[in-house]
């Protein structure tokens, strides 16, 4: 039976954490775009440890971690959206900051906001993290064709939102 | 927007937060095997017993278990030294002390 070395002790698991934390953090941050990222990163690695027996080694550990990260991020987004429906959007989120780099950040936020969590994960994995459509299919365990069509839809929605914003400003 | 324009726009955002210093220690706390609760409760019980024993040793009243000879000595001492001057005459005759 396959057993990866990192599954044997918390000390060895730290190596896995050290090797993967950067891109996992990036993936989560781009999914949620707020300061909930720290809690989600912790949650991902705790879940990875607790479900280590389910890692069979038939996929790369990076793919497996991406899958956990995407699921945790989507759970977080669902909760956040439910809270926003109840209490409305926070002032912090609605605030438009000044300055060149922040302007592009705001622009990205506007584009991402129109994407559902399902579309957003494909968009981020492809355009930010550079995964191919085939790799995204492996991460999310869906056919490559589905990835391609959803990616195309995400790109269209993102572009439209940005164009609309440019016209309005 | 085409693919390159989107990638370029995403690359221009460097707002990603830094890794908190204590992140691993928080994860480690959650994943390290916890001590079984019965060990903790056993330890707690032992500690309480130890405290009670120490407390008892420090503050307990002196032992009153005396041998026959010691009791005889105490009674003799009391007869010889303690307040029999105030006892009225005759009362000893009516009610003799019995040891």
């Amino acid at each position: 039976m396959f057993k990866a070395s990192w599954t044997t002790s918390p000390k060895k698991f730290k190596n896995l954490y050290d090797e993967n934390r950067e891109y996992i953090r990036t993936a989560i941050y781009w999914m949620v775009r707020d300061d909930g990222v720290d809690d989600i990163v912790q949650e991902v690695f705790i879940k990875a440890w607790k479900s280590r027996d389910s890692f069979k080694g038939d996929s790369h550990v990076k793919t497996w971690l991406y899958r956990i990260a995407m699921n945790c991020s989507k759970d977080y987004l669902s909760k956040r959206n439910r809270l926003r429906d109840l209490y409305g959007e926070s002032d912090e989120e609605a605030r438009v900051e000044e300055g060149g780099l922040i302007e592009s950040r705001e622009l990205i936020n506007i584009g991402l906001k129109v994407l559902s969590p399902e579309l957003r994960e494909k968009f981020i994995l492809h355009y930010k993290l550079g995964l191919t459509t085939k790799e995204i299919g492996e991460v999310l365990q869906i056919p490559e064709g589905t990835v391609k069509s959803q990616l195309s839809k995400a790109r269209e929605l993102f572009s439209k939102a940005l164009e609309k914003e440019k016209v309005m400003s | 927007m085409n693919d390159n324009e989107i990638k370029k726009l995403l690359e221009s955002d460097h707002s990603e937060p830094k890794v908190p210093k204590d992140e691993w220690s928080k994860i480690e706390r959650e994943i390290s095997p916890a001590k079984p609760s019965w060990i903790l409760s056993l330890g707690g019980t032992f500690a309480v017993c130890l405290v009670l024993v120490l407390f008892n040793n420090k503050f307990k009243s002196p032992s009153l278990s005396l041998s026959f000879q010691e009791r005889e000595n105490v009674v003799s001492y009391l007869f010889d030294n303690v307040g029999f001057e105030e006892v009225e005459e005759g009362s000893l005759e009516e009610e003799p002390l019995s040891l």
Side-chain angles (χ1 to χ4, degrees):
Chain A
M1 195 181 126
F2 172 81
K3 202 168 189 185
S5 67
W6 58 265
T7 62
T8 55
S9 72
K11 204 175 173 185
K12 286 182 181 167
F13 183 67
K14 186 176 185 303
N15 295 335
L16 182 94
Y17 163 79
D18 288 336
E19 285 164 16
N20 297 285
R21 67 178 182 192
E22 294 289 338
Y23 73 83
I24 288 296
R25 173 173 294 277
T26 302
I28 293 168
Y29 172 67
W30 279 80
M31 277 295 285
V32 303
R33 301 289 280 177
D34 69 16
D35 51 11
V37 61
D38 294 342
D39 289 340
I40 306 172
V41 171
Q42 284 173 38
E43 190 189 341
V44 167
F45 283 99
I46 291 166
K47 273 193 176 169
W49 172 257
K50 286 182 177 170
S51 58
R52 62 193 183 281
D53 290 338
S54 71
F55 179 71
K56 305 290 180 200
D58 47 4
S59 62
H60 195 273
V61 69
K62 193 172 174 176
T63 307
W64 185 70
L65 285 172
Y66 264 138
R67 194 177 306 145
I68 299 173
M70 287 297 130
N71 287 335
C72 289
S73 303
K74 282 190 284 184
D75 287 346
Y76 176 85
L77 287 175
S78 305
K79 276 182 212 161
R80 193 175 72 182
N81 289 343
R82 276 202 299 273
L83 285 173
R84 282 187 183 163
D85 288 344
L86 278 174
Y87 303 110
E89 196 170 272
S90 71
D91 290 338
E92 193 183 343
E93 185 72 20
R95 190 183 65 222
V96 177
E97 296 172 80
E98 293 170 4
L101 281 174
I102 294 169
E103 193 183 304
S104 73
R105 190 170 86 195
E106 288 302 324
L107 213 56
I108 292 165
N109 284 347
I110 288 163
L112 290 177
K113 216 180 253 185
V114 299
L115 303 181
S116 68
E118 299 296 325
L119 291 180
R120 192 186 288 202
E121 68 182 348
K122 281 114 195 161
F123 187 84
I124 297 303
L125 287 171
H126 183 68
Y127 288 110
K128 181 64 191 174
L129 297 160
L131 271 68
T132 63
T133 49
K134 192 183 171 200
E135 287 168 333
I136 296 171
E138 284 169 10
V139 168
L140 304 173
Q141 296 180 308
I142 53 172
E144 192 182 352
T146 309
V147 177
K148 280 181 180 170
S149 64
Q150 292 199 342
L151 208 48
S152 164
K153 193 177 175 188
R155 182 175 54 228
E156 192 187 330
L157 288 170
F158 184 86
S159 303
K160 272 186 183 170
L162 262 59
E163 279 161 22
K164 193 178 163 190
E165 175 66 22
K166 280 175 188 168
V167 170
M168 281 171 73
S169 58
Chain B
M1 286 176 93
N2 63 33
D3 282 8
N4 282 338
E5 286 171 328
I6 293 174
K7 281 179 186 171
K8 222 173 177 179
L9 176 64
L10 300 190
E11 277 169 18
S12 69
D13 180 356
H14 304 285
S15 60
E16 198 173 317
K18 286 178 182 171
V19 181
K21 280 180 184 171
D22 59 344
E23 187 169 83
W24 171 250
S25 57
K26 283 179 184 169
I27 295 169
E28 197 180 23
R29 260 203 305 277
E30 292 290 326
I31 67 170
S32 296
K35 285 179 183 161
S37 59
W38 64 268
I39 290 182
L40 295 175
S41 61
L42 201 66
T45 310
F46 177 74
V48 169
C49 290
L50 190 67
V51 168
L52 286 174
V53 167
L54 292 174
F55 185 81
N56 191 39
N57 279 346
K58 195 164 172 65
F59 296 106
K60 73 177 179 185
S61 49
S63 171
L64 291 175
S65 60
L66 302 171
S67 67
F68 180 78
Q69 186 59 48
E70 285 168 333
R71 272 186 276 169
E72 210 173 45
N73 291 342
V74 171
V75 172
S76 306
Y77 175 82
L78 290 173
F79 268 115
D80 295 342
N81 301 292
V82 184
F84 286 104
E85 295 83 350
E86 293 172 15
V87 178
E88 285 179 21
E89 256 184 52
S91 63
L92 283 174
E93 286 169 2
E94 287 166 20
E95 291 177 23
L97 282 175
S98 58
L99 291 175

